[in-house]
Amino acid sequence: MDDDTGTLPQKGDFSAWYNDILWRAEIMDVRYPVKGLYVWYPYGFAIRKHVYAQLRNLLDRDHEETLFPLLIPEQEFMKEAEHIKGFEDEVYWVTHGGRTPLEVKLALRPTSETAIYPMYALWLRSHADLPMKYYQIVNTFRYETKQTRPLIRLREITSFMESHTVHATWDEAEAQVEYELALTCEFYDAFCIPIIISKRPDWDKFPGADYTMAVDAIMPNGKTLQIGTVHHLGEHFSKTFSITFEDKNGEHKYASQTCYGISERCIAALISMHGDDKGLILPPISAPLQAVIVPITIGKRHEDVLAAAEKLKTDLTAAGFRVKIDTRDMRPGAKYYWWELRGVPLRLELGPRDLDAGKVMAVRRTGEKTQIELASVTDEVTRVLREITGAIRARAEEHTKSHLCTVASMDALDAALNEEKVAVVSWCQQKGCADVIEEKTNASILGTNARSQYVSETQGACIVCGKPGKATLVGRTY
RNA sequence: GGGGUAGUAGGGUAGCCUGGUCCAUCCUAGAGCGUUUGGGACGCUUUGACGGCGGUUCGAAUCCGCCCUACCCCA
């Protein structure tokens, strides 16, 4: 393959690859003239639609979807002290209605606790109302001061799923945290994205939470991307917002709460984890088009081939697949590259030769090329798409496994990080030792209590002070 | 938070210091016509820009001011 034909940067240059593929594959347009705000192209939005449909399916098992306002009055926003401290530098304020200054400033939600919880206080009366499990998928605004990146660090998060649950006891809320972590695992597994769950250190938890469980994925360059969080809020917010209920004995008690969030970073992970030098690779469940039919129309067989392609499309569509025929006036080769860039999992090439043989050429985005019988095409496509999903998952797992290692000294940690790996070290859980680790390695403590099939819980001596420590993830982060 | 560099058509560049053109230029970019079509075809025709607002000037992509945006470095 000629070097000068591929214009997409190699995936090894991940940052350039990522920026380039977003517009080449028509996912996001970064040219909107406000910093940190980006535009979804229709193709990108179609991917989003399928990803979020899956998220809704999972949540709808036992949550209910709702919708709260974008604007939050200042006095509500300012109620919970820790929460304010965490967000006040990043809040956009609406100060005017037309030309009239507002008496009460209105915050554009950076997250919705302070919009939702005053209403929860009104809605919750009795233990019979519990548990309450609601979620919404909305945009949120944060005035990011660090460098913004499409889908990753945004001033308008366009697709923030936030779940807010209320429970009678702290233990029930804790069980809910576990349940939502399990949902997250299932969600990411559907898109073949390996994740690592860990408990964030205290200084990195959500402002106003008892503790934060975070979900990270390892990007191609070894940096981690936080793609989900579940927070146990304890009674911080219920005390502030008077979210109380009458228990069976008639006593008034504060509720215990959780919140849980996933944003369009999940799509950044989807793109980054699976794509290659040729472009996107979309797991079939997320692909706007699961198969594209490229008719090879030569000479007088035009009509025969097109008719056969139409029938093939009709059969596959009836079987529930998302399929399109590419009838554009382009050479077939150009179409192949076009759809490979956009990550379509399966290409079906249908020409006169195939037609005579009663077959169609099936080319997988993951590499293999086989002939399948037209007579049993829906069964074959079902099987092939399942195998493609399996191949994508295996590749992602291999990548994640190869970017993780366990080390026992600062030097080894530094070396591992420079090899673009995430490391597991023993750490005594003292802030002082964490500062030493973070400063010397220019990396971050991700968390403890790691849960991953790739990381084993180990006990050992803290790599800084030598006291007994716990297995802790350290990595460079986005 | 502090500092630096930059913004020219769909994308990429030159021009700017030293203000003055009828056509600036390159492309896997756009539009049109024709010949093509089993892994990125070719010919011809053609469109299109100086980030925004204001200032200086007979005249501004070029000089000045403010703003917006992007990228890089340092905390």
Side-chain angles (χ1 to χ4, degrees):
Chain A
M1 168 109 191
D2 299 338
D3 286 336
D4 60 347
T5 54
T7 43
L8 182 68
Q10 301 275 295
K11 203 182 178 193
D13 184 2
F14 175 63
S15 197
W17 179 90
Y18 180 78
N19 288 332
D20 219 56
I21 201 165
L22 287 180
W23 74 266
R24 277 186 198 282
E26 297 181 303
I27 296 162
M28 302 299 293
D29 195 328
V30 302
R31 293 173 298 179
Y32 192 75
V34 178
K35 180 183 167 69
L37 274 55
Y38 306 100
V39 181
W40 288 94
Y41 280 110
Y43 190 71
F45 201 72
I47 296 171
R48 176 193 184 275
K49 188 166 70 182
H50 291 111
V51 171
Y52 277 72
Q54 179 71 13
L55 187 56
R56 279 196 165 91
N57 279 341
L58 290 174
L59 285 161
D60 286 344
R61 285 179 190 165
D62 83 329
H63 291 65
E64 290 172 276
E65 188 168 3
T66 177
L67 187 59
F68 281 77
L70 167 65
L71 299 175
I72 305 171
E74 183 176 19
Q75 67 273 18
E76 297 295 350
F77 189 77
M78 291 302 188
K79 269 184 182 165
E80 215 287 334
E82 280 183 50
H83 189 67
I84 300 163
K85 250 194 281 173
F87 284 103
E88 66 184 345
D89 290 338
E90 297 187 358
V91 174
Y92 281 95
W93 290 101
V94 175
T95 58
H96 285 72
R99 285 188 231 168
T100 311
L102 296 177
E103 281 181 32
V104 177
K105 284 199 294 184
L106 300 168
L108 295 186
R109 60 183 164 219
T111 174
S112 299
E113 285 72 17
T114 57
I116 293 175
Y117 298 166
M119 299 309 295
Y120 275 13
L122 299 174
W123 292 352
L124 180 60
R125 283 284 160 267
S126 141
H127 63 89
D129 298 325
L130 292 173
M132 295 186 352
K133 302 181 184 180
Y134 304 137
Y135 76 94
Q136 61 177 2
I137 297 175
V138 295
N139 57 348
T140 65
F141 292 83
R142 297 180 187 178
Y143 187 76
E144 290 285 352
T145 53
K146 288 184 185 168
Q147 189 184 329
T148 54
R149 267 175 215 282
L151 300 178
I152 291 177
R153 178 163 283 115
L154 309 147
R155 287 191 170 173
E156 181 189 6
I157 298 166
T158 67
S159 314
F160 188 51
M161 185 294 295
E162 49 178 332
S163 151
H164 297 267
T165 70
V166 187
H167 306 269
T169 67
W170 198 94
D171 290 347
E172 276 180 37
E174 186 181 37
Q176 182 66 24
V177 168
E178 292 303 314
Y179 178 80
E180 301 200 317
L181 286 171
L183 276 186
T184 306
C185 290
E186 194 174 338
F187 173 67
Y188 281 114
D189 185 60
F191 298 102
C192 311
I193 298 170
I195 56 173
I196 303 166
I197 296 171
S198 66
K199 185 175 183 176
R200 286 279 188 261
D202 266 357
W203 62 86
D204 203 20
K205 68 186 183 186
F206 181 72
D210 274 2
Y211 67 88
T212 288
M213 300 300 294
V215 177
D216 295 290
I218 304 179
M219 296 288 96
N221 59 2
K223 285 193 184 183
T224 61
L225 184 67
Q226 175 178 304
I227 51 176
T229 47
V230 187
H231 313 288
H232 195 310
L233 300 179
E235 297 179 355
H236 287 249
F237 287 90
S238 62
K239 283 179 175 158
T240 305
F241 289 95
S242 301
I243 302 173
T244 61
F245 63 98
E246 214 174 300
D247 73 6
K248 285 175 184 155
N249 306 316
E251 285 178 46
H252 287 260
K253 290 192 167 167
Y254 287 111
S256 221
Q257 296 179 269
T258 79
C259 66
Y260 161 43
I262 286 180
S263 76
E264 61 250 59
R265 279 186 167 199
C266 65
I267 292 171
L270 179 76
I271 291 164
S272 308
M273 184 66 69
H274 304 313
D276 66 9
D277 289 348
K278 291 180 177 177
L280 292 183
I281 297 181
L282 295 173
I285 189 177
S286 62
L289 285 176
Q290 294 169 315
V292 63
I293 301 167
V294 179
I296 311 296
T297 51
I298 306 170
K300 54 194 171 194
R301 304 290 302 275
H302 255 249
E303 300 307 320
D304 289 353
V305 171
L306 281 179
E310 282 295 343
K311 176 167 188 321
L312 180 55
K313 182 195 164 183
T314 306
D315 290 350
L316 290 173
T317 304
F321 296 110
R322 299 188 285 270
V323 183
K324 177 189 170 84
I325 304 176
D326 187 348
T327 54
R328 289 175 302 169
D329 183 20
M330 290 164 65
R331 297 174 71 89
K335 293 180 183 178
Y336 300 165
Y337 284 100
W338 170 276
W339 293 112
E340 280 167 0
L341 175 66
R342 285 162 180 75
V344 176
L346 182 63
R347 180 174 75 238
L348 299 170
E349 303 174 13
L350 188 62
R353 294 205 297 260
D354 306 296
L355 215 50
D356 293 340
K359 295 183 176 176
V360 60
M361 187 62 79
V363 185
R364 305 177 189 198
R365 183 61 181 80
T366 45
E368 307 86 321
K369 186 170 181 177
T370 50
Q371 276 199 324
I372 60 180
E373 298 282 343
L374 275 171
S376 56
V377 73
T378 56
D379 290 346
E380 292 288 299
V381 167
T382 303
R383 180 179 59 81
V384 169
L385 286 180
R386 195 184 310 124
E387 288 176 9
I388 290 171
T389 301
I392 292 172
R393 179 176 288 114
R395 235 175 52 119
E397 285 176 350
E398 180 53 38
H399 162 262
T400 302
K401 207 158 58 178
S402 69
H403 281 77
L404 272 167
C405 63
T406 302
V407 298
S409 71
M410 284 295 279
D411 287 344
L413 173 60
D414 211 41
L417 290 165
N418 288 330
E419 284 169 22
E420 304 193 329
K421 288 184 179 178
V422 175
V424 183
V425 303
S426 280
W427 167 56
C428 64
Q429 308 204 63
Q430 299 301 306
K431 180 79 165 80
C433 290
D435 288 344
V436 171
I437 292 171
E438 294 193 340
E439 264 176 49
K440 281 199 178 171
T441 60
N442 192 26
S444 303
I445 303 266
L446 297 173
T448 55
N449 306 61
R451 293 183 212 171
S452 161
Q453 50 182 309
Y454 316 108
V455 179
S456 56
E457 276 287 331
T458 53
Q459 308 277 334
C462 172
I463 62 162
V464 180
C465 68
K467 289 179 191 156
K470 279 177 87 167
T472 302
L473 286 161
V474 180
R476 302 214 163 110
T477 62
Y478 266 104

